[in-house]
Amino acid sequence: MTSTRSVFGSARQLLLSSHPGPTAAVTLLSLVLGVAIGLEPWRLVVLTLAVLAGQLSIGFSNDAIDASRDIAVGRTDKPIATGAIGRRTVGWAAAIALVVALILSGVLGLGMLLAHVVLIGGGWAYNAWLKRTAFSVVPFIVSFGTLPSLATLSAVDPRVAALWAGLTGAVLGISIHFTNALPDLADDQRTGVSGLPHRLGRRTAGVVAFAALAAGALVVLIGPISLGAELTPLAVVGFVVTLVLASTGAFLALRRPANRVLFRLVMAAGLLIAVQLAFGGVRLIA
């Protein structure tokens, strides 16, 4: 009984080390995009599991790499920092998840595998080095710009996603990076982490994050029209709701201390955009 309880406890701590919120959100985004292009059920399942494994590897690697920093600032929300799980265990989990992600991606084809390598590589590069530089936003632009292509490259006839879809992912990546970094600016600066949001400051970074989100909403509205799609009521509603979320986020970023609510607003907008694509009959391939 004690052994079983210990196993479940370790599994829980490992899950908490994976950044479960962002991991689940990105995985769900990929699932919805797969639905949007009509992937066969088995391809949809493999795509979702591959992205889940890839996101787990990025989350695990983040906590393993940042262990010393998290301990130094007393992060009580980090299992390694509290001693609830070992750094080596999380590091091994990152490696295993990476291998699983690559194997599953390969099942869907070489194009999907290469695109996923780019996406995961961006996450690992950020964790290992770029988060401490003025180029911290670059891996988010590249990785989220690649995300729509994971779905389109998983199809029977694999193709890179339309330019507007990649651009939408890229600007969403900017919003995600900035709002995810805002609550930790003080702790990060104490341990030498000075990415682009840190250099811009809380208010400026907050405005940039939600301006990028608004820009993404505009691209989603106009992009499909450029490929011959009709403007639908769903597209207009999605645009308006996303603008409301962006305006709310900008107001909160300017008037209140940064917290995780800003990040959740961006992820909600991202999921809204993905659902809009899935049920709006929008073509993701040019």
Side-chain angles (χ1 to χ4, degrees):
M1 184 70 175
T2 302
S3 177
T4 302
R5 185 177 302 170
S6 176
V7 169
F8 278 108
S10 297
R12 179 176 180 275
Q13 297 305 322
L14 189 60
L15 177 62
L16 292 174
S17 300
S18 71
H19 295 227
T23 293
V26 174
T27 302
L28 183 57
L29 277 171
S30 298
L31 171 63
V32 175
L33 289 173
V35 171
I37 66 167
L39 284 182
E40 299 172 64
W42 77 266
R43 290 180 181 273
L44 184 62
V45 171
V46 175
L47 167 66
T48 304
L49 292 177
V51 173
L52 173 60
Q55 291 303 302
L56 287 173
S57 78
I58 294 172
F60 289 142
S61 69
N62 182 283
D63 272 24
I65 291 170
D66 282 354
S68 298
R69 185 178 69 85
D70 291 337
I71 293 171
V73 297
R75 290 288 295 269
T76 58
D77 60 328
K78 298 290 187 178
I80 296 178
T82 62
I85 196 169
R87 181 178 188 176
R88 178 173 295 185
T89 299
V90 178
W92 273 108
I96 293 170
L98 175 61
V99 171
V100 171
L102 297 181
I103 291 174
L104 291 174
S105 298
V107 171
L108 294 169
L110 180 60
M112 161 56 175
L113 173 60
L114 294 177
H116 206 186
V117 166
V118 170
L119 190 154
I120 297 173
W124 279 68
Y126 172 80
N127 294 339
W129 170 52
L130 286 175
K131 72 189 302 178
R132 298 169 179 80
T133 74
F135 303 101
S136 62
V137 73
V138 172
F140 283 84
I141 293 174
V142 173
S143 293
F144 280 89
T146 304
L147 184 62
S149 290
L150 295 190
T152 59
L153 288 169
S154 297
V156 175
D157 181 19
R159 297 185 188 180
V160 175
L163 179 61
W164 70 265
L167 181 58
T168 300
V171 294
L172 182 61
I174 296 173
S175 297
I176 289 171
H177 172 43
F178 278 51
T179 54
N180 194 39
L182 286 177
D184 300 325
L185 292 186
D187 285 348
D188 287 344
Q189 289 175 328
R190 283 172 53 194
T191 54
V193 175
S194 184
L196 185 58
H198 307 76
R199 297 164 194 251
L200 293 178
R202 180 178 67 83
R203 286 188 171 84
T204 301
V207 170
V208 169
F210 290 101
L213 181 59
L218 184 61
V219 172
V220 171
L221 183 70
I222 296 176
I225 297 175
S226 68
L227 297 179
E230 295 183 0
L231 184 64
T232 65
L234 178 61
V236 174
V237 170
F239 175 70
V240 171
V241 174
T242 304
L243 284 187
V244 169
L245 291 175
S247 300
T248 301
F251 174 81
L252 293 176
L254 288 171
R255 299 296 297 272
R256 299 181 182 181
N259 54 50
R260 297 296 174 193
V261 170
L262 302 180
F263 176 75
R264 294 185 186 115
L265 283 175
V266 170
M267 294 311 302
L271 291 172
L272 173 64
I273 289 171
V275 170
Q276 175 185 332
L277 298 180
F279 297 100
V282 177
R283 289 171 52 194
L284 290 179
I285 303 174

